[in-house]
Amino acid sequence: MMTRRQPDRNLALDLARVTEAAALASARWLGLGKKEDGDGAAVDAMRISFNAMAINGRVVIGEGEKDEAPMLFNGESVGTGVGPRMDIAVDPVEGTRLLANGRPNAISVVAMTPEGSMYDPGPAYYMNKLVVPPEAVGMVDIKDPVARTLRKVAQAKNKDVRDLVVFVLDKERHEELIADIRATGARIQLHTDGDVAGALMAVIPDTGIDIMMGTGGTPEGVLAATAIRVLGGEMQGMLDPQSEEEKARVKEAGRDIKQVLKMEDLVSSDDIFFAATGITDGVFLKGVDFTGKGAKTTSLVMRGLTGTVRYVESAHRFDKLMRISSIDYD
């Protein structure tokens, strides 16, 4: 017999306040060419908002080490300290160059899971990733040749390979990957940044992306995996050091670069809370729209235990908000 329980607090809605604050603060820097300033504004707003949450949180996936402050650093405590013990993954501005240059798909994103359930990449900065939609779950292997993987995804989606669109970061390291994809006849969207957004687009319907392939940041991979688990897609990863120095650090830390990291390795709990707010206009999230008297935001909010996915449109009135907020949105 299934055990039922009363609805409890959905912390994902609290996380949406955190990403909204970061998006509102950083959007003032859209197109101004100052990615550090935009990121810094998002971090400051995110930290203030986090510390109002009734959690005992620890940043597992952050922006660096403590000596790189003011960024939200790995190991930083967030929340009031009273409440559930949670692992936190943050990217105050995913796509800082996108924001600085006024390009699409910059987002503010946060994920939260129970303590100990989120993969800690340690010194592994880069990960080779394969992300497929729910239709293709269980059908792919990151070690397979590109052509075989694309045939499997096309079969799952009832498409021809040439109908597929693959999200790939536009980096020199992907020259061979891009050539292999083109040899199959599949099409490619090349993006300079934003592989969390790319991973989400590969899983969310009607984004124009069917699959994501290639190497990006390991922290971004863990962050994306939390959302993909809720959405029912599949992500596989393999640590992919980009230098001999990184490879040595990864080996010293006991990480195995030959291991295929599956969903349960990247996030081992279904008790997931996730929120992302658009900063610049994107495929699946609108950016911040300043109205003169305030702003409008659009957020994607998910809770793993219930599988609930919400799109939240919020209107913010600065004349009221600024009376009580310590964050300067003007």
Side-chain angles (χ1 to χ4, degrees), residues 111-297:
M112 187 165 64
T113 64
E115 184 180 42
S117 59
M118 196 178 289
Y119 179 73
D120 184 351
Y125 299 139
Y126 289 94
M127 176 191 290
N128 183 24
K129 308 167 193 176
L130 172 63
V131 180
V132 298
E135 302 96 310
V137 170
M139 298 180 64
V140 297
D141 187 329
I142 195 172
K143 292 184 176 181
D144 279 348
V146 169
R148 182 182 301 172
T149 298
L150 294 179
R151 285 197 302 270
K152 290 289 188 181
V153 174
Q155 177 186 348
K157 301 198 74 170
N158 196 27
K159 293 183 175 185
D160 291 330
V161 171
R162 65 179 183 172
D163 296 333
L164 298 178
V165 177
V166 186
F167 180 104
V168 180
L169 290 177
D170 190 7
K171 308 293 183 182
E172 287 186 13
R173 60 178 176 266
H174 289 149
E175 287 183 3
E176 183 177 348
L177 172 62
I178 291 168
D180 288 344
I181 294 170
R182 286 174 173 163
T184 71
R187 297 169 296 155
I188 299 174
Q189 273 195 23
L190 291 173
H191 292 252
T192 58
D193 301 278
D195 60 337
V196 173
L200 293 177
M201 285 190 281
V203 178
I204 295 172
D206 303 320
T207 63
I209 298 294
D210 297 289
I211 181 173
M212 174 184 160
M213 306 179 83
T215 294
T218 304
E220 289 83 355
V222 178
L223 187 49
T226 60
I228 293 166
R229 179 158 181 154
V230 180
L231 292 166
E234 182 173 0
M235 178 176 177
Q236 297 177 17
M238 296 181 71
L239 301 181
D240 188 17
Q242 296 298 296
S243 68
E244 290 302 318
E245 291 79 10
E246 183 185 354
K247 184 181 293 186
R249 289 195 301 268
V250 169
K251 184 177 180 180
E252 184 178 352
R255 306 300 194 276
D256 183 1
I257 64 174
K258 295 182 180 180
Q259 179 187 2
V260 176
L261 298 166
K262 302 291 186 67
M263 292 297 300
E264 58 270 19
D265 299 310
L266 296 168
V267 55
S268 60
S269 173
D270 284 322
D271 194 10
I272 294 166
F273 302 97
F274 178 94
T277 301
I279 302 173
T280 63
D281 281 339
V283 172
F284 67 98
L285 284 175
K286 294 180 181 178
V288 175
D289 179 16
F290 290 105
T291 62
K293 296 183 179 181
K296 296 178 181 179
T297 57

Side-chain angles (χ1 to χ4, degrees), residues 88-124:
I88 312 289
V90 302
D91 203 341
V93 180
E94 207 257 335
T96 53
R97 280 181 291 189
L98 301 178
L99 171 62
N101 294 319
R103 293 174 179 164
N105 294 323
I107 61 176
S108 177
V109 57
V110 173
M112 187 165 64
T113 64
E115 184 180 42
S117 59
M118 196 178 289
Y119 179 73
D120 184 351

